[in-house]
Amino acid sequence: MFIDESVITVISGKGGDGAATFRREKFVQFGGPDGGDGGKGGDIVFIADPNINTLVDFKSSKKFKAGDGTKGSAARCTGKSGEDLVIKVPVGTMIRDFESNRLLLDLSNPNERVVFLKGGDGGRGNIHFKSSVKKAPKLAESGREGLELKIKLELKLLADVALVGYPSVGKSSFINKVSAAKSKVASYHFTTLKPKLGVVRIDDEQSFVIADVPGLIEGAHKGVGLGDRFLKHIERCKLIIHIIDVSGIDGRDPKEDFIKINQELKNYSEKLSKKQQIVVANKIDMLYEEEKLDEFEKFVKENGVEYVYPVSVIANEGLKPVLNKAWEMIQEIPREELEEEYSVDELLREINKKEDWEIRKLEDHVFEVDGRIVDDVLKKYVFMGEEGIINFLQKMRSLGMETELENAGVEEGDIIVIAGYEFEYVL
């Protein structure tokens, strides 16, 4: 089964919390802090695997999560790091943000390995908070949350040459003759139901990759027929080999076929219409009027394509000159520049953007405090018991919460709600 698009959610691992523990030691207050750090959360890692050619593995699985780090423990023991989640995808997979469609990662090189989402750092244990003033801190850091993102995987085959043309013009037979590909061949339309890749060997050291996509018909760019689903696969090729049944045995005019297919390419993408072409006039063994071939060749050249080769794929005639010219041209044509990638970190900052302070009046004399600063403090620290609440309020005060409350019109005796806890505001 060939699947070339899939939408999944990826989540990196949460870091483990730091520990707030104390060792037992004579003449040392509370025995002294000895809480270890939490373990780091696992990363989401993508690998471009040349042995995979479809996204079928993502058809049923839609959520992928790396392992969480474990909590630190006594005796300064660090928690275990979460396991990275390695996701293997085909070479040519583009990873986009589902909401904005921005390109985040383009895996175009075989065996390329990229850390896509980093796991959260583990929190620090209370051994890091000991000072001359606080000899027994009941305070530790929370592990950082993992990152979550809904993404679209989009596979675009990386071929040097793409075969295009109407159904049943001989594309599958062509790729079977010139490479080791085993594309299905039959006398009915749409025998090719999914793209096929083949390697064409010019000699022992020179070769290129060719792609056969399902045949196009008029209206393909709008979803007519099968080929529209696969037009994107030829966007990244260097050269197009346009195969046309010059015999007209199916009742079609070869000139009209040439114009209509090129119009479909243009309607789908201006980039496709500007790619260089070689036109292969196939089925000359079934053409009984030589002047029709000359007429067709003249017509194609008048419409901007310089190279026209008469061939009979079934008889294996005329194929070698086509391959030699294709090899010559792809040496000179640069690979199209990849779409610029957008930073994952920048995207996540945009998604999770919050004001520093958000103070909302819930009812008379009741206010809720929220915002980025509150989130950061709650995520960073583990506050234990009554002393922990006092530490939390002191931290919020040092970050300017009192000024923000006064600016919002809070008065003495009003109720302040923070993270579900209620406090009375006292000047």
Side-chain angles (χ1 to χ4, degrees):
M1 183 180 295
F2 185 84
I3 304 291
D4 60 0
E5 277 190 10
S6 189
V7 177
I8 63 173
T9 299
V10 288
I11 310 166
S12 60
K14 177 185 181 300
D17 294 341
T21 58
F22 299 89
R23 69 182 184 275
R24 296 183 179 276
E25 188 175 328
K26 195 174 182 180
F27 305 122
V28 178
Q29 187 182 14
F30 289 99
D34 71 345
D37 300 341
K40 179 186 174 298
D43 300 331
I44 295 291
V45 180
F46 279 101
I47 292 181
D49 190 337
N51 298 313
I52 301 174
N53 56 17
T54 174
L55 297 173
V56 68
D57 290 342
F58 305 95
K59 185 181 180 185
S60 55
S61 299
K62 294 298 182 182
K63 185 168 282 192
F64 296 81
K65 188 179 186 309
D68 293 335
T70 60
K71 185 177 179 179
S73 57
R76 304 192 178 201
C77 292
T78 300
K80 184 180 178 182
S81 294
E83 287 191 19
D84 295 342
L85 179 63
V86 177
I87 302 174
K88 294 182 179 181
V89 294
V91 178
T93 299
M94 304 174 83
I95 300 175
R96 297 181 180 277
D97 172 48
F98 178 74
E99 297 297 335
S100 65
N101 206 41
R102 288 171 172 161
L103 178 65
L104 303 175
L105 184 61
D106 193 332
L107 294 162
S108 55
N109 300 312
N111 299 309
E112 185 176 1
R113 179 188 177 101
V114 179
V115 176
F116 183 68
L117 292 182
K118 291 183 179 179
D121 291 330
R124 293 182 297 169
N126 64 344
I127 57 173
H128 297 282
F129 297 94
K130 182 181 177 182
S131 67
S132 58
V133 177
K134 285 189 175 182
K135 295 184 178 181
K138 294 182 179 179
L139 178 68
E141 280 185 337
S142 299
R144 293 294 178 91
E145 292 289 336
L147 303 172
E148 180 174 341
L149 196 59
K150 190 175 184 180
I151 56 175
K152 180 170 73 172
L153 306 179
E154 185 178 282
L155 175 59
K156 291 187 178 182
L157 300 180
L158 286 173
D160 299 299
V161 176
L163 302 180
V164 303
Y166 267 88
S168 299
V169 295
K171 297 194 303 340
S172 297
S173 297
F174 183 91
I175 196 172
N176 288 347
K177 289 281 187 181
V178 302
S179 74
K182 299 298 179 187
S183 205
K184 185 178 180 181
V185 178
S187 59
Y188 52 85
H189 288 346
F190 299 125
T191 52
T192 300
L193 300 178
K194 59 184 180 181
K196 287 285 196 323
L197 290 180
V199 177
V200 178
R201 297 208 171 275
I202 302 300
D203 55 39
D204 289 342
E205 297 183 357
Q206 297 177 322
S207 63
F208 62 87
V209 178
I210 191 168
D212 174 26
V213 298
L216 305 177
I217 61 175
E218 192 173 4
H221 71 284
K222 294 180 179 178
V224 179
L226 295 176
D228 67 293
R229 284 186 52 209
F230 304 104
L231 277 167
K232 64 184 175 188
H233 290 298
I234 61 178
E235 281 188 303
R236 299 172 78 171
C237 69
K238 292 184 177 183
L239 175 70
I240 291 174
I241 291 181
H242 188 167
I243 300 182
I244 293 176
D245 178 359
V246 76
S247 71
I249 197 167
D250 283 343
R252 295 200 308 266
D253 183 342
K255 297 177 190 174
E256 286 186 13
D257 284 3
F258 173 80
I259 293 296
K260 287 177 179 177
I261 292 297
N262 277 293
Q263 188 61 47
E264 289 305 314
L265 297 179
K266 185 175 182 180
N267 288 343
Y268 182 80
S269 163
E270 195 69 31
K271 286 191 298 186
L272 281 182
S273 68
K274 293 179 180 177
K275 288 188 182 293
Q276 294 189 51
Q277 285 189 26
I278 292 174
V279 170
V280 170
N282 189 26
K283 302 187 182 181
I284 57 170
D285 54 308
M286 304 177 75
L287 182 65
Y288 302 106
E289 300 176 51
E290 289 289 332
E291 63 272 12
K292 283 191 175 181
L293 178 61
D294 295 335
E295 192 178 309
F296 174 73
E297 194 170 332
K298 181 182 177 183
F299 174 80
V300 169
K301 290 183 176 180
E302 286 175 350
N303 280 274
V305 177
E306 183 178 353
Y307 304 107
V308 183
Y309 290 88
V311 306
S312 171
V313 175
I314 198 74
N316 205 19
E317 293 180 8
L319 301 183
K320 192 67 175 176
V322 176
L323 301 181
N324 288 337
K325 174 53 68 173
W327 172 252
E328 177 188 320
M329 291 176 71
I330 63 178
Q331 300 313 297
E332 300 171 356
I333 301 171
R335 176 75 68 185
E336 184 181 315
E337 286 188 18
L338 297 177
E339 190 178 337
E340 186 176 352
E341 294 178 10
Y342 194 81
S343 165
V344 177
D345 291 339
E346 187 66 31
L347 176 69
L348 289 167
R349 276 195 291 270
E350 285 184 18
I351 293 172
N352 300 315
K353 189 174 182 181
K354 261 188 173 184
E355 296 294 328
D356 286 349
W357 295 101
E358 296 178 4
I359 299 177
R360 295 182 290 273
K361 188 173 183 179
L362 302 181
E363 54 184 88
D364 287 344
H365 305 294
V366 179
F367 295 81
E368 183 178 42
V369 179
D370 197 359
R372 182 189 59 80
I373 292 176
V374 177
D375 287 348
D376 286 350
V377 171
L378 290 172
K379 287 176 182 177
K380 188 171 184 180
Y381 299 106
V382 177
F383 298 100
M384 301 175 61
E386 290 185 10
E387 183 181 333
I389 294 174
I390 294 170
N391 288 334
F392 171 66
L393 292 175
Q394 287 177 341
K395 189 69 179 175
M396 298 305 294
R397 182 179 289 116
S398 70
L399 293 169
M401 183 177 70
E402 280 189 350
T403 302
E404 296 296 327
L405 290 173
E406 289 173 7
N407 292 339
V410 176
E411 299 175 348
E412 186 170 10
D414 287 349
I415 300 300
I416 309 300
V417 180
I418 309 176
Y421 292 97
E422 294 186 0
F423 306 94
E424 184 178 345
Y425 185 61
V426 179
L427 293 173

